[in-house]
Amino acid sequence: MTSALVPLEHFLALPAHARLLGLDLGTKTIGLALSDVERRIATPLETIQRVKFGLDAAALLKIADKHRVAGLVIGLPLNMDGSEGPRVQSTRAFVRNLAPLTGLPIAFWDERMSTLAVTRTLLDADASRAKRAAVVDKMAAAYILQGALDRLLRLQPADEDDEA
């Protein structure tokens, strides 16, 4: 199997009613979010505790298969000035290692400010520190995936929009 790192726009050609899986790669966890079949809404799914790459990839691909995912959107942690630091290098290495294990297309999405935005939302909701720690990664994945879904929706030709 060979997946391809593709521009997000390539996801417009994916089969109808196929979901996307969003990932927020951290050093200790991988937050996951799942789109609906219309690819309009991202929902936090779960958090994988990272162990080692092989086990992490197997868990991730099992979840993707279970939910019939057609593509992966992975948050790219660029620096605020747009430059690439060690976290971007780590994310790119993860994708390089994951790509040969799956036939799914993979696209990066700029994740700057995602964890901060989610943390602020949780603070506004008066979530406890323990609650924030338990959900922030999968919520950040949903934030990343929602940004990509919104972009895909804007890129759709007018004749593919819902008839209202």
Side-chain angles (χ1 to χ4, degrees), residues 66-108:
K66 174 184 174 184
H67 293 283
R68 297 187 185 119
V69 167
L72 305 175
V73 177
I74 300 182
L76 192 63
L78 297 168
N79 293 326
M80 290 306 294
D81 65 0
S83 64
E84 297 187 5
R87 289 189 58 227
V88 169
Q89 293 169 6
S90 175
T91 300
R92 289 190 188 279
F94 183 91
V95 170
R96 268 192 313 276
N97 291 328
L98 180 66
L101 303 178
T102 180
L104 297 173
I106 301 170
F108 286 126

Side-chain angles (χ1 to χ4, degrees), residues 145-162:
L145 181 56
Q146 189 64 55
L149 293 174
D150 291 347
R151 175 73 177 141
L152 288 171
L153 190 59
R154 287 191 301 275
L155 291 172
Q156 284 181 349
D159 60 348
E160 290 185 21
D161 288 341
D162 286 347

Side-chain angles (χ1 to χ4, degrees), residues 17 35 47 56 155 159:
H17 305 294
S35 76
T47 302
D56 301 345
L155 291 172
D159 60 348

